């Protein structure tokens, strides 16, 4: 099973520290933010101990594709109401793609965006325009658009919306999808029948476009459109369904990332990975 969690990348060891954290959970994959998820301040790449991190990954047979980067939440390509928000999103995304290339990670997970009351049609058009502007120099990086819960004015809570973006984006061949189990459950998909979900995903987007899975339980009922993650087995999705997803042969080659909450200040990932691997 290819599984890990989100890990922190903080001073003084940065990416090296992120790899060490992943190893402490017996993970063979991990996801990090290139800096704080809530802001756009970023350290110089030279400070991040990337070479040491790569060496440690190699030593533990973790391929570079198992390092996933998540773009910060403040990137909103769908904002047509405030032009400066859109401009910041495009320029930051362009820089982020460069950083992911330096990290030699393959996938950059991105929330498609929120239309902030301008309507889904305008939001979708803005996302496509923004991706076209930001993705001109991809190197070996691919964008993984995340399936969203549909809270507020989020776009990307249906497979159809994500397929529409990929079909209409100029560089759609460099765009894949990251499927978040909490989000699709909150968006109204019944994840207890995961083979059906995969059939739908294949029919609408194409299974070859599935880049990664965020494996989370949900604090809310199916269709609640809330986006509150729960620990594996402690939420409305439940352990059996999440276990079946983690062990489904059709996604054996796909990296799963846990984004479940800390319990009393402790990371739950080592135990959760163990439970899912049994
Ligand atoms: Fe996300
Ligand atoms: Fe997620
Ligand atoms: Zn979420």
């Amino acid at each position: 099973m290819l599984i890990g969690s989100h890990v922190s990348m903080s001073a003084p060891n940065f990416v090296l520290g992120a790899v060490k954290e992943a190893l402490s959970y017996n993970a063979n994959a991990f996801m990090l933010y290139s800096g704080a998820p809530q802001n756009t301040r970023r350290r110089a790449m030279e400070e991040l101990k990337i070479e040491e991190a790569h060496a440690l990954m190699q030593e533990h047979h973790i391929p570079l594709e198992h390092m996933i980067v998540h773009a910060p939440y403040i990137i909103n390509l769908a904002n047509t109401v405030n032009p400066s928000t859109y401009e910041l999103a495009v320029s930051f995304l362009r820089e982020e793609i460069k950083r992911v290339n330096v990290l030699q990670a393959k996938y950059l997970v991105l929330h498609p965006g929120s239309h902030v009351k301008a309507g889904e049609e305008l939001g979708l058009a803005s996302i496509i325009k923004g991706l076209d502007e930001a993705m001109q120099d991809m190197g070996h990086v691919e964008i993984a658009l995340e399936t969203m819960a549909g809270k507020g004015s989020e776009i990307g809570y249906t497979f159809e919306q994500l397929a529409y973006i990929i079909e209409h984006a100029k560089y759609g061949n460099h765009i894949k999808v990251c499927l978040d189990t909490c989000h699709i459950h909150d968006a109204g998909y019944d994840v207890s029948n995961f083979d059906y979900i995969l059939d739908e995903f294949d029919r609408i987007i194409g299974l070859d476009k599935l880049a990664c899975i965020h494996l989370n339980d949900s604090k809310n009922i199916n269709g609640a459109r809330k986006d509150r993650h729960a620990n594996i087995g402690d939420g409305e999705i439940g352990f059996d369904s999440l276990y079946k997803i983690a062990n489904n042969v059709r996604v054996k080659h796909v990296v799963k990332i846990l984004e479940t909450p800390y319990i009393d200040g402790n990371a739950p990932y080592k135990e959760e990975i163990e439970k899912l691997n049994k």
Side-chain angles (χ1 to χ4, degrees):
M1 188 184 298
L2 311 179
I3 190 164
S5 67
H6 65 160
V7 292
S8 60
M9 192 195 69
S10 48
N13 284 321
F14 302 104
V15 191
L16 177 62
V19 178
K20 284 184 178 168
E21 186 183 339
L23 291 171
S24 79
Y25 307 143
N26 297 324
N28 51 24
F30 59 94
M31 183 176 79
L32 49 78
Y33 288 84
S34 68
Q38 319 82 354
N39 68 50
T40 53
R41 285 190 301 274
R42 292 295 178 266
R43 293 252 180 179
M45 295 303 282
E46 298 74 46
E47 294 175 44
L48 300 185
K49 304 203 178 178
I50 295 170
E51 273 174 43
E52 288 122 295
H54 287 170
L56 188 60
M57 286 172 74
Q58 201 174 13
E59 193 184 312
H60 289 270
H61 311 287
I62 300 179
L64 288 168
E65 309 94 80
H66 292 188
M67 166 166 51
I68 291 170
V69 182
H70 197 308
Y73 312 129
I74 42 127
I75 293 188
N76 186 7
L77 296 173
N79 192 326
T80 54
V81 178
N82 189 344
S84 67
T85 303
Y86 171 84
E87 288 306 328
L88 172 79
V90 170
S91 64
F92 188 87
L93 183 56
R94 203 179 281 141
E95 292 306 309
E96 187 82 340
I97 289 162
K98 287 184 197 161
R99 281 187 284 270
V100 179
N101 268 298
V102 176
L103 283 165
Q104 294 182 49
K106 184 174 178 192
Y107 293 122
L108 174 59
V109 175
L110 176 71
H111 294 182
S114 296
H115 62 75
V116 285
K117 292 183 184 155
E120 287 180 354
E121 211 170 314
L122 281 179
L124 278 165
S126 183
I127 292 166
I128 292 161
K129 181 167 163 268
L131 290 169
D132 289 353
E133 288 174 23
M135 291 179 67
Q136 284 159 11
D137 194 4
M138 292 304 285
H140 60 259
V141 172
E142 298 191 329
I143 299 286
L145 293 175
E146 185 164 352
T147 60
M148 303 311 292
K151 74 169 182 299
S153 65
E154 275 174 356
I155 291 173
Y157 60 88
T158 66
F159 294 163
E160 284 83 358
Q161 289 173 341
L162 298 169
Y164 181 87
I165 296 168
I166 294 171
E167 273 159 32
H168 290 82
K170 204 167 171 181
Y171 308 102
N173 55 332
H174 288 276
I175 305 176
K176 289 196 170 122
V177 170
C178 171
L179 186 142
D180 187 309
T181 57
C182 166
H183 296 178
I184 65 169
H185 161 90
D186 280 26
Y189 289 92
D190 177 11
V191 293
S192 69
N193 189 352
F194 194 60
D195 272 305
Y196 175 72
I197 298 283
L198 290 178
D199 290 343
E200 282 291 281
F201 190 99
D202 194 31
R203 181 174 70 79
I204 298 161
I205 303 173
L207 215 44
D208 57 320
K209 287 282 192 188
L210 181 60
C212 51
I213 293 174
H214 284 171
L215 200 65
N216 303 305
D217 213 328
S218 172
K219 290 199 167 137
N220 293 286
I221 56 162
N222 184 231
R225 300 181 72 156
K226 285 279 189 358
D227 189 5
R228 301 225 14 240
H229 301 188
N231 290 100
I232 302 297
D234 290 351
E236 293 291 328
I237 298 176
F239 182 74
D240 287 352
S241 293
L242 291 163
Y243 182 87
K244 280 184 195 151
I245 296 168
N247 290 281
N248 189 301
V249 287
R250 292 163 76 187
V251 294
K252 196 177 168 35
H253 59 288
V254 178
V255 167
K256 288 109 195 156
I257 298 291
L258 299 160
E259 302 173 299
T260 51
Y262 274 43
I263 301 169
D264 302 325
N266 299 309
Y269 308 122
K270 189 172 183 225
E271 289 74 21
E272 291 187 342
I273 288 170
E274 200 175 288
K275 276 201 280 186
L276 291 164
N277 254 314
K278 266 197 187 117

